[in-house]
Amino acid sequence: MSTRQARAAAREEKRALRRARSPYAATHTGPGRVLTAVYGILAFAAAGRATYQLLPQKFPEAPFAYTLSALSAAVYILATVCLVIGSRTSHHIAVAACVFEAVGVLVVGTLSLTHAEYFDHPSVWSMFGVGYGFVPLILPFIGLWWLYRVQRTVAAGSAARSE
């Protein structure tokens, strides 16, 4: 087999692998990669913050805010893992995580303004994520938009295959 034939076979193998991938693996391309990376970075940052805040000597200072930090870290980790997996089930879990995150940021952000006594120490979502440049406020809506777009693409592909 010549070098040219070997390259052609390798290209065909790559194409076959792309066709065999789950249609939900669209999160692995273009903006989906950026979204996954941002979720990963935020998961890492929130987990670090929560780990520090949950230390036995720190936790009694603000248990409510620190528990919310741990919850937000868990949501970011779940969303990141689901975006990386890119299956139908993980897609649905990622949508639920983004909805939970959006509601959490809005509720906690509002509570941190109206009931500041519960937030003597900030959490990831307090003040709508001001400590993280408002990324926690914007990210779930971008995530939901992207996941909706992937779902539409999958639905269009399913309709085209059934015809």
Side-chain angles (χ1 to χ4, degrees):
M1 182 183 296
S2 73
T3 306
R4 180 179 284 160
Q5 290 171 331
R7 285 187 199 143
R11 279 193 304 273
E12 186 55 40
E13 186 177 332
K14 282 184 182 179
R15 284 188 198 116
L17 284 172
R18 272 190 238 121
R19 285 191 297 268
R21 268 193 331 202
S22 167
Y24 291 96
T27 56
H28 298 161
T29 60
R33 285 186 180 177
V34 174
L35 181 68
T36 304
V38 172
Y39 263 105
I41 292 166
L42 202 53
F44 183 73
R49 178 184 200 136
T51 301
Y52 174 73
Q53 290 175 335
L54 293 177
L55 291 173
Q57 64 269 25
K58 293 285 294 174
F59 186 73
E61 294 175 13
F64 183 66
Y66 292 170
T67 302
L68 287 173
S69 286
L71 177 65
S72 65
V75 171
Y76 291 131
I77 291 168
L78 177 66
T80 303
V81 169
C82 289
L83 288 170
V84 169
I85 292 172
S87 69
R88 180 177 180 213
T89 302
S90 69
H91 180 87
H92 294 306
I93 295 170
V95 169
C98 286
V99 168
F100 184 85
E101 176 191 357
V103 170
V105 169
L106 294 173
V107 169
V108 171
T110 303
L111 285 175
S112 66
L113 294 174
T114 60
H115 294 83
E117 65 272 10
Y118 294 121
F119 298 93
D120 292 335
H121 297 262
S123 72
V124 175
W125 290 341
S126 61
M127 304 284 280
F128 303 103
V130 70
Y132 292 85
F134 296 104
V135 171
L137 178 62
I138 299 165
L139 191 60
F141 298 104
I142 293 172
L144 287 169
W145 167 79
W146 178 252
L147 291 167
Y148 173 73
R149 185 172 170 208
V150 168
Q151 181 64 43
R152 256 191 8 213
T153 304
V154 169
S158 296
R161 281 193 296 272
S162 67
E163 290 178 354

